Amino acid sequence: AEYMGALCVSSLEMAPSFCLCVLLLFACTTTIVHADDETHHYNQGDKVIVWTNKVGPYHNPQETYSYYSLPFCKANEAEERTYRYAGLGEVLEGNELISSDFLINFRVDVPSTTICTMTLDEQKARAFRYAISNHYWYQFYVDDLPLLGMVGEVMTDEPDDLSQPIHEHEEVYIYTSKKFTLSYNDDQIIEVNLTYHHPVPVAVDKQLEFTYSVEWVPTTQAFSSRFARYLDYSFFEHQIHWFSIFNSFMMVIFLCGLVFLILMRTLRKDYAKYAKDEDDLDNLDKGVGEESGWKQVHGDVFRAPDHLVSFSALLGTGSQLACLVALLILLANSGSLYTERGSITSTAIFCYALTSFVAGYTGGGYYARNNGRHWIKTMLLTASLFPGVCFSIAFSLNLIAVAYQSMAAIPLGTSVLLVLLWGFISCPLTLVGTIVGRHWSGQADNPCRVNALRRPIPDKKWYTKPLVVILLGGVLPFGSIFIEMYFIFTSFWNYKFYYVYGFMLLVFGILVIVLVCVSIVGTYFLLNAEDYRWAWTSFLSAASTALYVFSYAVYYFFAKTKMSGFFQTCFYFGYTGMFCLGLALFCGTVGFLGTNVFVRRIYRFIKSD
């Protein structure tokens, strides 16, 4: 289909009628053909394609190569392979489906059949020995169902002399026989299993005969539930997962109670003191100065933060990411995105481009409300800040992948497509959002007038200093998502399908509440110490959650995985860095927006001099 579409586009100016004929012919053929792995319906004897995808070290999930990068023999070396063209998400995830030599027909059993034979020379033996010693695995797809297998096995003989090194008694074996067991219900494939056996030692001049067999088994399982076997229910729905949700919920109750205490008791007491002697300014100033310092900075609390352009851009990008995460979780809960290769990645990219309006609107509106004059600079920084950092990291990782000839390398065409999406969708929407934000929400409506001169900030106790508030601000939010981070990391780095988006939605809501509450409490103590620099402090205190997540990721890398090598280490920390950057922007924006509502409320009900 993609090839026919490209053919039409290239021939449109020269022969419109030819294009129409081709499209009609293609439409006719698509209606005639009944059986393929797109419709998932087959007739008796129809061809079922086994697609090879990738091969690589099992403990390094990103270090993947083409299946035929290993010297497997082929039934016909001259035969041209069929490629199944992947979507944007598939390419970014390093998938490339290539047809194999396994001849399978629907509901037709195949006895043990030889695919090809080969004699190992020094180079081929070395390649297989290296792959098997490093626990190389491979992935097939049959009717969009994944299959995993190991290339071979390292067997160790017990040495007669225990003082001898064990590695001297290791022998490498390659599996030369594969058996496909396919379950079907009516005209659909429900389940696919792969077993491999007949290990043969890898040695120079050794002749290998690769065989396969196929067995079809009827089943009553419905097609709609065929992906359930790939979901690890015992892992994701373990009682510790439910306990973490309950624990986070109790934390929310505690923090909400603390904020309620501040709002209803402390602040009400402050308001009462202000109203008690409002005619006696001397007594008022004396009482306020001794009891509560937050009113003393009413003339500076709504002063524009330093580095306004950067702050507005961060705020806009964080708002966009918050909308993106919420939208993705809702879409994932309403469908089964995890069952389709690359669907979540593709959806995230397009949703990010479409939500660029939110970034421009939030950042442009905030910049205008603080009397900013360089809105174009703000718009450009908003549009390029997060994508620019991610592109720089991805470009560096791509150079490494190209040097290793890995499938993780992003093709040039895909890179150009991403740049076009950013340039022709994301940037224009950011521009429109900035213009709309400046005109619709760019009017300043601060409850208190901003003084012309800055008020000096007095010395304060160590626990009310901004740096301490920032570092402590991320502890409780990290505690509320700590367990969920473990499940997310494990699914991403250990070949598991993450499907519990209902849990993620609950954790998302809990995290938002905790971020707002923690930022409010930290800002209250800061203002009480007569420090009016609450904007950056509230943003960074919530954003520091990402610092703890990254620290946990470092621990996870060394304690929970067996990853090794320069390639996988770079990809692990590169991906983790991009994730933590997005998390920091999201958390910081949520914390600031919640704190902004709190600050405006408490200053709305006081009488300023």
Side-chain angles (χ1 to χ4, degrees), residues 437-456:
R438 291 179 64 246
H439 289 86
W440 285 12
S441 63
Q443 293 75 29
D445 55 349
N446 299 326
C448 301
R449 176 175 54 84
V450 178
N451 294 336
L453 299 178
R454 290 178 177 266
R455 176 187 175 91

Side-chain angles (χ1 to χ4, degrees), residues 325 492 518 528:
V325 172
F492 188 80
V518 168
N528 234 22

Side-chain angles (χ1 to χ4, degrees), residues 74-102:
K74 302 174 183 177
N76 187 356
E77 295 288 345
E79 181 181 355
E80 186 175 352
R81 297 286 161 179
T82 301
Y83 288 79
R84 184 173 178 181
Y85 293 100
L88 179 61
E90 281 192 86
V91 175
L92 293 176
E93 292 178 3
N95 293 312
E96 184 183 53
L97 302 189
I98 306 174
S99 60
S100 67
D101 292 322
F102 303 105

Side-chain angles (χ1 to χ4, degrees), residues 73-144:
C73 64
K74 302 174 183 177
N76 187 356
E77 295 288 345
E79 181 181 355
E80 186 175 352
R81 297 286 161 179
T82 301
Y83 288 79
R84 184 173 178 181
Y85 293 100
L88 179 61
E90 281 192 86
V91 175
L92 293 176
E93 292 178 3
N95 293 312
E96 184 183 53
L97 302 189
I98 306 174
S99 60
S100 67
D101 292 322
F102 303 105
L103 301 179
I104 300 178
N105 299 95
F106 187 69
R107 295 178 61 180
V108 176
D109 291 346
V110 178
S112 182
T113 303
T114 299
I115 303 174
C116 60
T117 59
M118 65 181 298
T119 301
L120 295 179
D121 56 21
E122 179 65 32
Q123 183 179 0
K124 293 179 181 178
R126 189 188 312 113
F128 278 126
R129 193 177 293 113
Y130 176 84
I132 297 170
S133 300
N134 286 275
H135 308 287
Y136 268 47
W137 66 287
Y138 55 83
Q139 185 182 57
F140 294 159
Y141 273 95
V142 178
D143 195 50
D144 282 337

Side-chain angles (χ1 to χ4, degrees), residues 235-247:
F235 175 75
F236 285 103
E237 299 184 26
H238 193 274
Q239 60 181 1
I240 192 66
H241 208 164
W242 291 99
F243 177 76
S244 69
I245 298 294
F246 175 77
N247 185 52

Side-chain angles (χ1 to χ4, degrees), residues 3 6 31 57 78 86-87 157 255 275 292 331 336-337 347 365 371 475 479 486 588 595:
Y3 175 77
T31 57
D157 297 330
L255 289 175
S292 178
L331 290 175
S336 300
L337 293 178
T347 303
N371 300 318
V475 175
Y486 170 75
T595 304

Side-chain angles (χ1 to χ4, degrees), residues 387-586:
V389 175
C390 291
F391 176 81
S392 300
I393 297 175
F395 180 77
S396 302
L397 296 178
N398 206 52
L399 292 178
I400 298 174
V402 170
Y404 276 75
Q405 298 181 344
S406 170
M407 289 179 62
I410 302 175
L412 179 61
T414 304
S415 302
V416 172
L417 177 58
L418 292 174
V419 173
L420 292 177
L421 284 174
W422 174 77
F424 290 96
I425 297 179
S426 181
C427 286
L429 287 177
T430 305
L431 174 61
V432 173
T434 302
I435 295 174
V436 174
R438 291 179 64 246
H439 289 86
W440 285 12
S441 63
Q443 293 75 29
D445 55 349
N446 299 326
C448 301
R449 176 175 54 84
V450 178
N451 294 336
L453 299 178
R454 290 178 177 266
R455 176 187 175 91
I457 300 174
D459 294 333
K460 45 189 173 295
K461 297 181 179 179
W462 65 270
Y463 56 82
T464 59
K465 292 184 177 181
L467 181 60
V468 177
V469 175
I470 290 171
L471 293 178
L472 294 179
V475 175
L476 290 180
F478 171 72
S480 67
I481 63 173
F482 163 70
I483 298 298
E484 200 63 30
M485 284 295 100
Y486 170 75
F487 286 103
I488 292 174
F489 282 12
T490 302
S491 63
F492 188 80
W493 301 111
N494 286 286
Y495 309 103
K496 293 182 182 293
F497 291 93
Y498 187 93
Y499 68 95
V500 284
Y501 290 97
F503 280 107
M504 183 177 286
L505 182 61
L506 289 175
V507 172
F508 176 79
I510 290 173
L511 176 61
V512 169
I513 296 174
V514 172
L515 287 170
V516 171
C517 291
V518 168
S519 298
I520 287 176
V521 173
T523 299
Y524 176 77
F525 286 115
L526 191 72
L527 294 177
N528 234 22
E530 299 184 17
D531 190 340
Y532 51 83
R533 301 170 298 180
W534 64 275
W536 275 106
T537 303
S538 62
F539 184 94
L540 295 177
S541 65
S544 66
T545 304
L547 180 63
Y548 294 98
V549 172
F550 188 83
S551 301
Y552 172 72
V554 175
Y555 161 79
Y556 186 90
F557 177 83
F558 290 104
K560 300 296 183 180
T561 73
K562 296 181 180 180
M563 298 179 189
S564 60
F566 177 76
F567 183 98
Q568 184 61 38
T569 302
C570 291
F571 268 76
Y572 179 88
F573 288 104
Y575 285 170
T576 302
M578 288 189 285
F579 171 75
C580 289
L581 174 61
L583 181 65
L585 295 174
F586 159 71

